[in-house]
Structures are given as C-alpha cells and as structure tokens.
PDB file of all heavy atoms in Angstrom:
ATOM      1  N   MET J   1      57.896 108.167 146.798  1.00  0.00           N
ATOM      2  CA  MET J   1      56.616 107.883 147.453  1.00  0.00           C
ATOM      3  C   MET J   1      56.324 108.911 148.537  1.00  0.00           C
ATOM      4  O   MET J   1      57.222 109.489 149.136  1.00  0.00           O
ATOM      5  CB  MET J   1      56.654 106.481 148.071  1.00  0.00           C
ATOM      6  CG  MET J   1      56.783 105.366 147.034  1.00  0.00           C
ATOM      7  SD  MET J   1      56.928 103.752 147.799  1.00  0.00           S
ATOM      8  CE  MET J   1      55.344 103.628 148.631  1.00  0.00           C
ATOM      9  N   ALA J   2      55.050 109.129 148.760  1.00  0.00           N
ATOM     10  CA  ALA J   2      54.636 110.053 149.817  1.00  0.00           C
ATOM     11  C   ALA J   2      54.989 109.468 151.175  1.00  0.00           C
ATOM     12  O   ALA J   2      55.273 108.280 151.317  1.00  0.00           O
ATOM     13  CB  ALA J   2      53.138 110.301 149.725  1.00  0.00           C
ATOM     14  N   ALA J   3      54.972 110.331 152.200  1.00  0.00           N
ATOM     15  CA  ALA J   3      55.321 109.906 153.555  1.00  0.00           C
ATOM     16  C   ALA J   3      54.427 108.746 154.004  1.00  0.00           C
ATOM     17  O   ALA J   3      53.204 108.804 153.883  1.00  0.00           O
ATOM     18  CB  ALA J   3      55.180 111.089 154.509  1.00  0.00           C
ATOM     19  N   GLN J   4      55.050 107.695 154.517  1.00  0.00           N
ATOM     20  CA  GLN J   4      54.325 106.473 154.843  1.00  0.00           C
ATOM     21  C   GLN J   4      53.311 106.654 155.973  1.00  0.00           C
ATOM     22  O   GLN J   4      52.241 106.065 155.971  1.00  0.00           O
ATOM     23  CB  GLN J   4      55.329 105.372 155.218  1.00  0.00           C
ATOM     24  CG  GLN J   4      56.199 104.912 154.052  1.00  0.00           C
ATOM     25  CD  GLN J   4      55.380 104.295 152.932  1.00  0.00           C
ATOM     26  OE1 GLN J   4      54.526 103.464 153.176  1.00  0.00           O
ATOM     27  NE2 GLN J   4      55.647 104.711 151.704  1.00  0.00           N
ATOM     28  N   ASP J   5      53.658 107.440 156.973  1.00  0.00           N
ATOM     29  CA  ASP J   5      52.781 107.571 158.133  1.00  0.00           C
ATOM     30  C   ASP J   5      51.764 108.703 157.982  1.00  0.00           C
ATOM     31  O   ASP J   5      51.026 109.019 158.915  1.00  0.00           O
ATOM     32  CB  ASP J   5      53.607 107.783 159.403  1.00  0.00           C
ATOM     33  CG  ASP J   5      54.491 109.018 159.324  1.00  0.00           C
ATOM     34  OD1 ASP J   5      54.633 109.574 158.211  1.00  0.00           O
ATOM     35  OD2 ASP J   5      55.049 109.425 160.360  1.00  0.00           O
ATOM     36  N   PHE J   6      51.727 109.320 156.837  1.00  0.00           N
ATOM     37  CA  PHE J   6      50.823 110.441 156.581  1.00  0.00           C
ATOM     38  C   PHE J   6      49.555 109.916 155.925  1.00  0.00           C
ATOM     39  O   PHE J   6      49.608 109.210 154.916  1.00  0.00           O
ATOM     40  CB  PHE J   6      51.521 111.452 155.668  1.00  0.00           C
ATOM     41  CG  PHE J   6      50.645 112.583 155.228  1.00  0.00           C
ATOM     42  CD1 PHE J   6      50.359 113.632 156.077  1.00  0.00           C
ATOM     43  CD2 PHE J   6      50.096 112.604 153.950  1.00  0.00           C
ATOM     44  CE1 PHE J   6      49.549 114.692 155.661  1.00  0.00           C
ATOM     45  CE2 PHE J   6      49.297 113.649 153.525  1.00  0.00           C
ATOM     46  CZ  PHE J   6      49.025 114.691 154.396  1.00  0.00           C
ATOM     47  N   ASN J   7      48.405 110.235 156.495  1.00  0.00           N
ATOM     48  CA  ASN J   7      47.139 109.785 155.917  1.00  0.00           C
ATOM     49  C   ASN J   7      46.544 110.903 155.068  1.00  0.00           C
ATOM     50  O   ASN J   7      45.951 111.851 155.580  1.00  0.00           O
ATOM     51  CB  ASN J   7      46.155 109.374 157.011  1.00  0.00           C
ATOM     52  CG  ASN J   7      44.947 108.636 156.438  1.00  0.00           C
ATOM     53  OD1 ASN J   7      44.637 108.746 155.256  1.00  0.00           O
ATOM     54  ND2 ASN J   7      44.259 107.891 157.286  1.00  0.00           N
ATOM     55  N   PHE J   8      46.711 110.770 153.771  1.00  0.00           N
ATOM     56  CA  PHE J   8      46.224 111.776 152.835  1.00  0.00           C
ATOM     57  C   PHE J   8      44.723 111.995 152.955  1.00  0.00           C
ATOM     58  O   PHE J   8      44.213 113.093 152.737  1.00  0.00           O
ATOM     59  CB  PHE J   8      46.582 111.334 151.407  1.00  0.00           C
ATOM     60  CG  PHE J   8      45.916 112.142 150.353  1.00  0.00           C
ATOM     61  CD1 PHE J   8      46.365 113.407 150.036  1.00  0.00           C
ATOM     62  CD2 PHE J   8      44.804 111.652 149.677  1.00  0.00           C
ATOM     63  CE1 PHE J   8      45.733 114.166 149.064  1.00  0.00           C
ATOM     64  CE2 PHE J   8      44.167 112.402 148.705  1.00  0.00           C
ATOM     65  CZ  PHE J   8      44.645 113.663 148.400  1.00  0.00           C
ATOM     66  N   LEU J   9      43.967 110.975 153.321  1.00  0.00           N
ATOM     67  CA  LEU J   9      42.513 111.081 153.420  1.00  0.00           C
ATOM     68  C   LEU J   9      42.091 112.053 154.522  1.00  0.00           C
ATOM     69  O   LEU J   9      40.969 112.571 154.512  1.00  0.00           O
ATOM     70  CB  LEU J   9      41.887 109.710 153.679  1.00  0.00           C
ATOM     71  CG  LEU J   9      41.777 108.763 152.476  1.00  0.00           C
ATOM     72  CD1 LEU J   9      43.147 108.318 151.974  1.00  0.00           C
ATOM     73  CD2 LEU J   9      40.937 107.552 152.842  1.00  0.00           C
ATOM     74  N   LEU J  10      42.981 112.306 155.459  1.00  0.00           N
ATOM     75  CA  LEU J  10      42.688 113.217 156.559  1.00  0.00           C
ATOM     76  C   LEU J  10      43.271 114.605 156.331  1.00  0.00           C
ATOM     77  O   LEU J  10      43.177 115.464 157.215  1.00  0.00           O
ATOM     78  CB  LEU J  10      43.238 112.645 157.872  1.00  0.00           C
ATOM     79  CG  LEU J  10      42.692 111.282 158.296  1.00  0.00           C
ATOM     80  CD1 LEU J  10      43.417 110.780 159.535  1.00  0.00           C
ATOM     81  CD2 LEU J  10      41.187 111.365 158.552  1.00  0.00           C
ATOM     82  N   ALA J  11      43.851 114.836 155.158  1.00  0.00           N
ATOM     83  CA  ALA J  11      44.536 116.100 154.885  1.00  0.00           C
ATOM     84  C   ALA J  11      43.676 117.029 154.051  1.00  0.00           C
ATOM     85  O   ALA J  11      44.054 117.470 152.964  1.00  0.00           O
ATOM     86  CB  ALA J  11      45.859 115.830 154.187  1.00  0.00           C
ATOM     87  N   THR J  12      42.486 117.319 154.553  1.00  0.00           N
ATOM     88  CA  THR J  12      41.591 118.220 153.832  1.00  0.00           C
ATOM     89  C   THR J  12      40.662 118.911 154.824  1.00  0.00           C
ATOM     90  O   THR J  12      40.614 118.534 155.998  1.00  0.00           O
ATOM     91  CB  THR J  12      40.771 117.434 152.782  1.00  0.00           C
ATOM     92  OG1 THR J  12      40.132 118.353 151.890  1.00  0.00           O
ATOM     93  CG2 THR J  12      39.734 116.552 153.439  1.00  0.00           C
ATOM     94  N   ASP J  13      39.943 119.914 154.351  1.00  0.00           N
ATOM     95  CA  ASP J  13      38.937 120.550 155.211  1.00  0.00           C
ATOM     96  C   ASP J  13      37.799 119.566 155.448  1.00  0.00           C
ATOM     97  O   ASP J  13      37.403 118.824 154.538  1.00  0.00           O
ATOM     98  CB  ASP J  13      38.383 121.803 154.535  1.00  0.00           C
ATOM     99  CG  ASP J  13      39.457 122.858 154.311  1.00  0.00           C
ATOM    100  OD1 ASP J  13      40.060 123.294 155.294  1.00  0.00           O
ATOM    101  OD2 ASP J  13      39.676 123.225 153.138  1.00  0.00           O
ATOM    102  N   SER J  14      37.246 119.588 156.626  1.00  0.00           N
ATOM    103  CA  SER J  14      36.189 118.634 156.977  1.00  0.00           C
ATOM    104  C   SER J  14      35.048 118.626 155.963  1.00  0.00           C
ATOM    105  O   SER J  14      34.551 117.571 155.561  1.00  0.00           O
ATOM    106  CB  SER J  14      35.630 118.965 158.362  1.00  0.00           C
ATOM    107  OG  SER J  14      36.630 118.885 159.357  1.00  0.00           O
ATOM    108  N   TYR J  15      34.625 119.821 155.543  1.00  0.00           N
ATOM    109  CA  TYR J  15      33.435 119.882 154.692  1.00  0.00           C
ATOM    110  C   TYR J  15      33.624 119.208 153.342  1.00  0.00           C
ATOM    111  O   TYR J  15      32.666 118.795 152.689  1.00  0.00           O
ATOM    112  CB  TYR J  15      32.938 121.319 154.546  1.00  0.00           C
ATOM    113  CG  TYR J  15      33.740 122.251 153.673  1.00  0.00           C
ATOM    114  CD1 TYR J  15      33.099 123.207 152.884  1.00  0.00           C
ATOM    115  CD2 TYR J  15      35.131 122.214 153.629  1.00  0.00           C
ATOM    116  CE1 TYR J  15      33.807 124.088 152.096  1.00  0.00           C
ATOM    117  CE2 TYR J  15      35.853 123.086 152.851  1.00  0.00           C
ATOM    118  CZ  TYR J  15      35.189 124.023 152.083  1.00  0.00           C
ATOM    119  OH  TYR J  15      35.901 124.897 151.303  1.00  0.00           O
ATOM    120  N   LYS J  16      34.896 119.074 152.898  1.00  0.00           N
ATOM    121  CA  LYS J  16      35.142 118.444 151.612  1.00  0.00           C
ATOM    122  C   LYS J  16      34.822 116.945 151.623  1.00  0.00           C
ATOM    123  O   LYS J  16      34.627 116.352 150.561  1.00  0.00           O
ATOM    124  CB  LYS J  16      36.593 118.680 151.184  1.00  0.00           C
ATOM    125  CG  LYS J  16      36.868 120.128 150.762  1.00  0.00           C
ATOM    126  CD  LYS J  16      38.292 120.282 150.252  1.00  0.00           C
ATOM    127  CE  LYS J  16      38.565 121.722 149.831  1.00  0.00           C
ATOM    128  NZ  LYS J  16      37.817 122.092 148.605  1.00  0.00           N
ATOM    129  N   ILE J  17      34.768 116.355 152.789  1.00  0.00           N
ATOM    130  CA  ILE J  17      34.419 114.939 152.900  1.00  0.00           C
ATOM    131  C   ILE J  17      33.024 114.681 152.315  1.00  0.00           C
ATOM    132  O   ILE J  17      32.736 113.613 151.786  1.00  0.00           O
ATOM    133  CB  ILE J  17      34.450 114.500 154.388  1.00  0.00           C
ATOM    134  CG1 ILE J  17      35.844 114.741 154.986  1.00  0.00           C
ATOM    135  CG2 ILE J  17      34.054 113.037 154.537  1.00  0.00           C
ATOM    136  CD1 ILE J  17      36.954 114.050 154.250  1.00  0.00           C
ATOM    137  N   THR J  18      32.179 115.684 152.393  1.00  0.00           N
ATOM    138  CA  THR J  18      30.784 115.520 151.960  1.00  0.00           C
ATOM    139  C   THR J  18      30.533 115.974 150.523  1.00  0.00           C
ATOM    140  O   THR J  18      29.422 115.849 150.014  1.00  0.00           O
ATOM    141  CB  THR J  18      29.851 116.327 152.885  1.00  0.00           C
ATOM    142  OG1 THR J  18      30.095 117.737 152.699  1.00  0.00           O
ATOM    143  CG2 THR J  18      30.094 115.977 154.350  1.00  0.00           C
ATOM    144  N   HIS J  19      31.547 116.488 149.849  1.00  0.00           N
ATOM    145  CA  HIS J  19      31.311 117.098 148.536  1.00  0.00           C
ATOM    146  C   HIS J  19      31.004 116.093 147.437  1.00  0.00           C
ATOM    147  O   HIS J  19      30.370 116.446 146.436  1.00  0.00           O
ATOM    148  CB  HIS J  19      32.505 117.979 148.148  1.00  0.00           C
ATOM    149  CG  HIS J  19      32.584 119.242 148.944  1.00  0.00           C
ATOM    150  ND1 HIS J  19      33.579 120.173 148.797  1.00  0.00           N
ATOM    151  CD2 HIS J  19      31.767 119.742 149.905  1.00  0.00           C
ATOM    152  CE1 HIS J  19      33.383 121.176 149.630  1.00  0.00           C
ATOM    153  NE2 HIS J  19      32.283 120.935 150.319  1.00  0.00           N
ATOM    154  N   TYR J  20      31.430 114.855 147.594  1.00  0.00           N
ATOM    155  CA  TYR J  20      31.135 113.857 146.558  1.00  0.00           C
ATOM    156  C   TYR J  20      29.634 113.641 146.412  1.00  0.00           C
ATOM    157  O   TYR J  20      29.158 113.182 145.371  1.00  0.00           O
ATOM    158  CB  TYR J  20      31.846 112.538 146.877  1.00  0.00           C
ATOM    159  CG  TYR J  20      31.244 111.744 148.026  1.00  0.00           C
ATOM    160  CD1 TYR J  20      30.399 110.656 147.782  1.00  0.00           C
ATOM    161  CD2 TYR J  20      31.509 112.093 149.349  1.00  0.00           C
ATOM    162  CE1 TYR J  20      29.845 109.926 148.828  1.00  0.00           C
ATOM    163  CE2 TYR J  20      30.962 111.370 150.402  1.00  0.00           C
ATOM    164  CZ  TYR J  20      30.134 110.291 150.145  1.00  0.00           C
ATOM    165  OH  TYR J  20      29.583 109.582 151.186  1.00  0.00           O
ATOM    166  N   LYS J  21      28.868 114.013 147.451  1.00  0.00           N
ATOM    167  CA  LYS J  21      27.424 113.883 147.415  1.00  0.00           C
ATOM    168  C   LYS J  21      26.730 115.112 146.810  1.00  0.00           C
ATOM    169  O   LYS J  21      25.524 115.104 146.590  1.00  0.00           O
ATOM    170  CB  LYS J  21      26.871 113.702 148.836  1.00  0.00           C
ATOM    171  CG  LYS J  21      27.199 112.369 149.499  1.00  0.00           C
ATOM    172  CD  LYS J  21      26.694 112.385 150.937  1.00  0.00           C
ATOM    173  CE  LYS J  21      26.827 111.019 151.598  1.00  0.00           C
ATOM    174  NZ  LYS J  21      25.757 110.095 151.140  1.00  0.00           N
ATOM    175  N   GLN J  22      27.494 116.181 146.580  1.00  0.00           N
ATOM    176  CA  GLN J  22      26.884 117.463 146.262  1.00  0.00           C
ATOM    177  C   GLN J  22      26.938 117.858 144.786  1.00  0.00           C
ATOM    178  O   GLN J  22      26.244 118.801 144.371  1.00  0.00           O
ATOM    179  CB  GLN J  22      27.555 118.563 147.095  1.00  0.00           C
ATOM    180  CG  GLN J  22      27.413 118.339 148.607  1.00  0.00           C
ATOM    181  CD  GLN J  22      28.117 119.426 149.409  1.00  0.00           C
ATOM    182  OE1 GLN J  22      28.224 120.573 148.968  1.00  0.00           O
ATOM    183  NE2 GLN J  22      28.607 119.067 150.587  1.00  0.00           N
ATOM    184  N   TYR J  23      27.782 117.214 143.994  1.00  0.00           N
ATOM    185  CA  TYR J  23      27.878 117.573 142.575  1.00  0.00           C
ATOM    186  C   TYR J  23      26.627 117.106 141.816  1.00  0.00           C
ATOM    187  O   TYR J  23      25.955 116.165 142.235  1.00  0.00           O
ATOM    188  CB  TYR J  23      29.127 116.943 141.953  1.00  0.00           C
ATOM    189  CG  TYR J  23      30.421 117.622 142.368  1.00  0.00           C
ATOM    190  CD1 TYR J  23      31.187 117.117 143.412  1.00  0.00           C
ATOM    191  CD2 TYR J  23      30.873 118.761 141.710  1.00  0.00           C
ATOM    192  CE1 TYR J  23      32.371 117.723 143.800  1.00  0.00           C
ATOM    193  CE2 TYR J  23      32.057 119.380 142.084  1.00  0.00           C
ATOM    194  CZ  TYR J  23      32.800 118.854 143.127  1.00  0.00           C
ATOM    195  OH  TYR J  23      33.959 119.474 143.505  1.00  0.00           O
ATOM    196  N   PRO J  24      26.323 117.741 140.692  1.00  0.00           N
ATOM    197  CA  PRO J  24      25.161 117.318 139.885  1.00  0.00           C
ATOM    198  C   PRO J  24      25.368 115.889 139.361  1.00  0.00           C
ATOM    199  O   PRO J  24      26.503 115.422 139.240  1.00  0.00           O
ATOM    200  CB  PRO J  24      25.148 118.329 138.732  1.00  0.00           C
ATOM    201  CG  PRO J  24      25.985 119.470 139.189  1.00  0.00           C
ATOM    202  CD  PRO J  24      26.996 118.913 140.120  1.00  0.00           C
ATOM    203  N   PRO J  25      24.288 115.228 139.028  1.00  0.00           N
ATOM    204  CA  PRO J  25      24.399 113.886 138.438  1.00  0.00           C
ATOM    205  C   PRO J  25      25.192 113.932 137.130  1.00  0.00           C
ATOM    206  O   PRO J  25      25.178 114.928 136.409  1.00  0.00           O
ATOM    207  CB  PRO J  25      22.939 113.486 138.174  1.00  0.00           C
ATOM    208  CG  PRO J  25      22.138 114.360 139.073  1.00  0.00           C
ATOM    209  CD  PRO J  25      22.890 115.648 139.202  1.00  0.00           C
ATOM    210  N   ASN J  26      25.887 112.867 136.837  1.00  0.00           N
ATOM    211  CA  ASN J  26      26.624 112.683 135.587  1.00  0.00           C
ATOM    212  C   ASN J  26      27.849 113.578 135.427  1.00  0.00           C
ATOM    213  O   ASN J  26      28.391 113.699 134.327  1.00  0.00           O
ATOM    214  CB  ASN J  26      25.697 112.900 134.375  1.00  0.00           C
ATOM    215  CG  ASN J  26      24.503 111.964 134.409  1.00  0.00           C
ATOM    216  OD1 ASN J  26      24.650 110.790 134.760  1.00  0.00           O
ATOM    217  ND2 ASN J  26      23.333 112.492 134.068  1.00  0.00           N
ATOM    218  N   VAL J  27      28.307 114.227 136.515  1.00  0.00           N
ATOM    219  CA  VAL J  27      29.573 114.966 136.443  1.00  0.00           C
ATOM    220  C   VAL J  27      30.716 113.968 136.267  1.00  0.00           C
ATOM    221  O   VAL J  27      30.779 112.950 136.953  1.00  0.00           O
ATOM    222  CB  VAL J  27      29.798 115.808 137.718  1.00  0.00           C
ATOM    223  CG1 VAL J  27      31.219 116.358 137.743  1.00  0.00           C
ATOM    224  CG2 VAL J  27      28.799 116.950 137.774  1.00  0.00           C
ATOM    225  N   SER J  28      31.613 114.249 135.355  1.00  0.00           N
ATOM    226  CA  SER J  28      32.738 113.344 135.118  1.00  0.00           C
ATOM    227  C   SER J  28      34.088 114.056 135.169  1.00  0.00           C
ATOM    228  O   SER J  28      35.127 113.415 135.228  1.00  0.00           O
ATOM    229  CB  SER J  28      32.596 112.667 133.753  1.00  0.00           C
ATOM    230  OG  SER J  28      32.594 113.641 132.719  1.00  0.00           O
ATOM    231  N   LYS J  29      34.065 115.391 135.162  1.00  0.00           N
ATOM    232  CA  LYS J  29      35.322 116.134 135.130  1.00  0.00           C
ATOM    233  C   LYS J  29      35.216 117.389 135.979  1.00  0.00           C
ATOM    234  O   LYS J  29      34.259 118.151 135.861  1.00  0.00           O
ATOM    235  CB  LYS J  29      35.650 116.535 133.684  1.00  0.00           C
ATOM    236  CG  LYS J  29      37.006 117.175 133.488  1.00  0.00           C
ATOM    237  CD  LYS J  29      38.086 116.122 133.480  1.00  0.00           C
ATOM    238  CE  LYS J  29      39.267 116.526 132.623  1.00  0.00           C
ATOM    239  NZ  LYS J  29      40.292 115.471 132.595  1.00  0.00           N
ATOM    240  N   VAL J  30      36.208 117.595 136.849  1.00  0.00           N
ATOM    241  CA  VAL J  30      36.337 118.855 137.587  1.00  0.00           C
ATOM    242  C   VAL J  30      37.737 119.384 137.316  1.00  0.00           C
ATOM    243  O   VAL J  30      38.736 118.681 137.524  1.00  0.00           O
ATOM    244  CB  VAL J  30      36.120 118.666 139.098  1.00  0.00           C
ATOM    245  CG1 VAL J  30      36.394 119.979 139.831  1.00  0.00           C
ATOM    246  CG2 VAL J  30      34.696 118.188 139.372  1.00  0.00           C
ATOM    247  N   TYR J  31      37.782 120.601 136.812  1.00  0.00           N
ATOM    248  CA  TYR J  31      39.045 121.234 136.412  1.00  0.00           C
ATOM    249  C   TYR J  31      39.186 122.528 137.211  1.00  0.00           C
ATOM    250  O   TYR J  31      38.344 123.426 137.100  1.00  0.00           O
ATOM    251  CB  TYR J  31      39.007 121.511 134.914  1.00  0.00           C
ATOM    252  CG  TYR J  31      40.281 122.058 134.309  1.00  0.00           C
ATOM    253  CD1 TYR J  31      41.224 121.207 133.756  1.00  0.00           C
ATOM    254  CD2 TYR J  31      40.517 123.427 134.262  1.00  0.00           C
ATOM    255  CE1 TYR J  31      42.386 121.703 133.172  1.00  0.00           C
ATOM    256  CE2 TYR J  31      41.671 123.939 133.688  1.00  0.00           C
ATOM    257  CZ  TYR J  31      42.604 123.068 133.143  1.00  0.00           C
ATOM    258  OH  TYR J  31      43.745 123.564 132.574  1.00  0.00           O
ATOM    259  N   SER J  32      40.210 122.614 138.039  1.00  0.00           N
ATOM    260  CA  SER J  32      40.387 123.788 138.899  1.00  0.00           C
ATOM    261  C   SER J  32      41.741 124.432 138.635  1.00  0.00           C
ATOM    262  O   SER J  32      42.655 123.789 138.099  1.00  0.00           O
ATOM    263  CB  SER J  32      40.279 123.382 140.372  1.00  0.00           C
ATOM    264  OG  SER J  32      38.989 122.911 140.674  1.00  0.00           O
ATOM    265  N   TYR J  33      41.855 125.695 139.028  1.00  0.00           N
ATOM    266  CA  TYR J  33      43.139 126.371 138.839  1.00  0.00           C
ATOM    267  C   TYR J  33      43.473 127.219 140.063  1.00  0.00           C
ATOM    268  O   TYR J  33      42.608 127.568 140.870  1.00  0.00           O
ATOM    269  CB  TYR J  33      43.113 127.249 137.581  1.00  0.00           C
ATOM    270  CG  TYR J  33      42.169 128.432 137.650  1.00  0.00           C
ATOM    271  CD1 TYR J  33      42.614 129.670 138.102  1.00  0.00           C
ATOM    272  CD2 TYR J  33      40.836 128.308 137.250  1.00  0.00           C
ATOM    273  CE1 TYR J  33      41.756 130.767 138.158  1.00  0.00           C
ATOM    274  CE2 TYR J  33      39.972 129.386 137.301  1.00  0.00           C
ATOM    275  CZ  TYR J  33      40.436 130.615 137.752  1.00  0.00           C
ATOM    276  OH  TYR J  33      39.584 131.683 137.825  1.00  0.00           O
ATOM    277  N   PHE J  34      44.749 127.531 140.181  1.00  0.00           N
ATOM    278  CA  PHE J  34      45.284 128.297 141.305  1.00  0.00           C
ATOM    279  C   PHE J  34      45.963 129.537 140.749  1.00  0.00           C
ATOM    280  O   PHE J  34      46.789 129.440 139.845  1.00  0.00           O
ATOM    281  CB  PHE J  34      46.299 127.423 142.048  1.00  0.00           C
ATOM    282  CG  PHE J  34      46.962 128.067 143.249  1.00  0.00           C
ATOM    283  CD1 PHE J  34      46.493 127.815 144.524  1.00  0.00           C
ATOM    284  CD2 PHE J  34      48.072 128.880 143.093  1.00  0.00           C
ATOM    285  CE1 PHE J  34      47.123 128.384 145.629  1.00  0.00           C
ATOM    286  CE2 PHE J  34      48.698 129.456 144.194  1.00  0.00           C
ATOM    287  CZ  PHE J  34      48.222 129.207 145.464  1.00  0.00           C
ATOM    288  N   GLU J  35      45.601 130.697 141.276  1.00  0.00           N
ATOM    289  CA  GLU J  35      46.214 131.948 140.825  1.00  0.00           C
ATOM    290  C   GLU J  35      46.384 132.912 141.989  1.00  0.00           C
ATOM    291  O   GLU J  35      45.757 132.771 143.042  1.00  0.00           O
ATOM    292  CB  GLU J  35      45.339 132.622 139.761  1.00  0.00           C
ATOM    293  CG  GLU J  35      44.023 133.157 140.314  1.00  0.00           C
ATOM    294  CD  GLU J  35      43.355 134.176 139.396  1.00  0.00           C
ATOM    295  OE1 GLU J  35      44.047 135.096 138.921  1.00  0.00           O
ATOM    296  OE2 GLU J  35      42.136 134.059 139.173  1.00  0.00           O
ATOM    297  N   CYS J  36      47.249 133.871 141.795  1.00  0.00           N
ATOM    298  CA  CYS J  36      47.326 135.018 142.691  1.00  0.00           C
ATOM    299  C   CYS J  36      46.518 136.121 142.029  1.00  0.00           C
ATOM    300  O   CYS J  36      46.926 136.686 141.018  1.00  0.00           O
ATOM    301  CB  CYS J  36      48.784 135.446 142.871  1.00  0.00           C
ATOM    302  SG  CYS J  36      48.975 136.894 143.917  1.00  0.00           S
ATOM    303  N   ARG J  37      45.359 136.411 142.586  1.00  0.00           N
ATOM    304  CA  ARG J  37      44.419 137.308 141.924  1.00  0.00           C
ATOM    305  C   ARG J  37      44.956 138.733 141.795  1.00  0.00           C
ATOM    306  O   ARG J  37      45.728 139.195 142.637  1.00  0.00           O
ATOM    307  CB  ARG J  37      43.107 137.347 142.713  1.00  0.00           C
ATOM    308  CG  ARG J  37      42.357 136.029 142.719  1.00  0.00           C
ATOM    309  CD  ARG J  37      41.182 136.095 143.668  1.00  0.00           C
ATOM    310  NE  ARG J  37      40.482 134.820 143.743  1.00  0.00           N
ATOM    311  CZ  ARG J  37      39.708 134.467 144.752  1.00  0.00           C
ATOM    312  NH1 ARG J  37      39.532 135.289 145.763  1.00  0.00           N
ATOM    313  NH2 ARG J  37      39.101 133.296 144.746  1.00  0.00           N
TER     314      ARG J  37
END
C-alpha cells in the first residue's frame, strides 16, 4: 500500500486540478508516454 499519511490528491501541479474541465466532450481515453527525447 502507498504511504498512509501521503495525500495523492495533493501530489500534482496546481493547474492539473482544472484539467478535467478542459478536455473535449465524450473523451473516454487518455494515453500518455514517457521518453528521453
């Protein structure tokens, strides 16, 4: 289990809190990747 006293909801950039309002209607999947360019 993740650390008990750690609040995952607070572990992001502030602006991401508002992103759920910004995607187009009917979006159901977001697929992202991480690379060393």
Side-chain angles (χ1 to χ4, degrees):
M1 295 176 63
Q4 293 298 313
D5 59 348
F6 174 78
N7 192 339
F8 169 77
L9 283 67
L10 300 175
T12 193
D13 297 301
S14 299
Y15 73 143
K16 288 184 180 290
I17 301 303
T18 67
H19 288 179
Y20 73 100
K21 290 175 173 283
Q22 300 179 30
Y23 286 97
N26 302 320
V27 170
S28 61
K29 187 78 150 182
V30 175
Y31 185 93
S32 295
Y33 66 92
F34 180 98
E35 69 162 313
C36 178
R37 294 172 183 159

